Amino acid sequence: MKRIESVEHIWSLICSNSTIDSETNNLSFFNVIEWITGTVPAAALDKAKADKSKGHLTQVGFEVVSRFRKKTSNKTAAFDIRLRLLSPESRILMTSNEQRVAMREGIRNMRIRNRFNVLPVEKSGDYVVIVDAKEVEEIGYSEVGRIPLEIVVNSGEKINNTKAP
């Protein structure tokens, strides 16, 4: 994988929502997400597994926000970014659309917000959101960031709390 020469990935995080103040241009995050708990019927998870699909799509609204910094301020930099969601077994469950980002001369920092309304889930475990970037003229992406995301899936089945003799 090649390094991205024009920009540097500073950070990325997952939150439920973010806003940009129109007066100060400051970014505010709401509910930074480290883990998600949801109920998915066991039959839906079994069906997704039997169909060999990329998990059961669960309605969960969230944003992935990333900050990039241009390495030189006196010229324009353009790069492409995409996000991938990996299962606990490192299987790619979702890949976002490619976004082209152009930072004009004089702009040093860029924040990129990606909004999602569904999340493919296979089971409980440690998932990872991968941030990939590449120069516009390059073919292959380079991983520039990782965001851990713990997902706890309740199967929706009734839990029996009785003790065995």
Side-chain angles (χ1 to χ4, degrees):
M1 282 190 218
K2 294 188 177 207
R3 273 181 43 113
I4 307 301
E5 297 298 328
S6 61
V7 295
E8 173 186 17
H9 174 260
I10 305 298
W11 50 256
S12 290
L13 59 78
I14 302 170
C15 61
S16 62
N17 194 21
S18 66
T19 61
I20 298 174
D21 184 290
S22 61
E23 290 181 22
T24 63
N25 200 30
N26 286 330
L27 182 65
S28 295
F29 302 108
F30 299 97
N31 303 319
V32 173
I33 298 172
E34 296 172 343
W35 58 277
I36 295 174
T37 300
T39 300
V40 178
L45 291 174
D46 291 342
K47 182 179 182 325
K49 191 174 187 179
D51 294 344
K52 296 185 180 179
S53 63
K54 294 185 176 184
H56 173 74
L57 291 178
T58 306
Q59 294 281 341
V60 177
F62 65 98
E63 289 184 13
V64 176
V65 184
S66 299
R67 179 179 169 210
F68 287 85
R69 182 181 175 113
K70 190 166 48 168
K71 291 182 179 176
T72 59
S73 62
N74 59 352
K75 62 181 185 177
T76 299
F79 62 100
D80 296 327
I81 181 175
R82 73 174 182 195
L83 302 172
R84 293 180 291 146
L85 175 68
L86 301 184
S87 72
E89 287 79 27
S90 298
R91 200 166 79 102
I92 298 172
L93 298 177
M94 177 178 73
T95 302
S96 71
N97 292 329
E98 183 177 280
Q99 287 180 279
R100 177 142 305 155
V101 179
M103 297 172 71
R104 295 186 319 265
E105 188 175 323
I107 294 177
R108 295 277 321 254
N109 294 291
M110 179 70 66
R111 297 172 304 219
I112 302 164
R113 300 187 300 169
N114 290 281
R115 180 92 183 129
F116 298 93
N117 294 316
V118 294
L119 181 67
V121 175
E122 291 185 331
K123 62 181 184 174
S124 293
D126 294 324
Y127 291 68
V128 177
V129 175
I130 305 288
V131 181
D132 292 324
K134 70 177 186 69
E135 302 288 352
V136 170
E137 65 277 357
E138 295 294 325
I139 295 172
Y141 277 91
S142 295
E143 179 182 316
V144 296
R146 283 182 167 247
I147 313 165
L149 177 62
E150 181 182 356
I151 297 179
V152 177
V153 177
N154 298 316
S155 68
E157 306 288 337
K158 199 172 196 178
I159 299 172
N160 187 351
N161 289 327
T162 59
K163 293 183 180 178

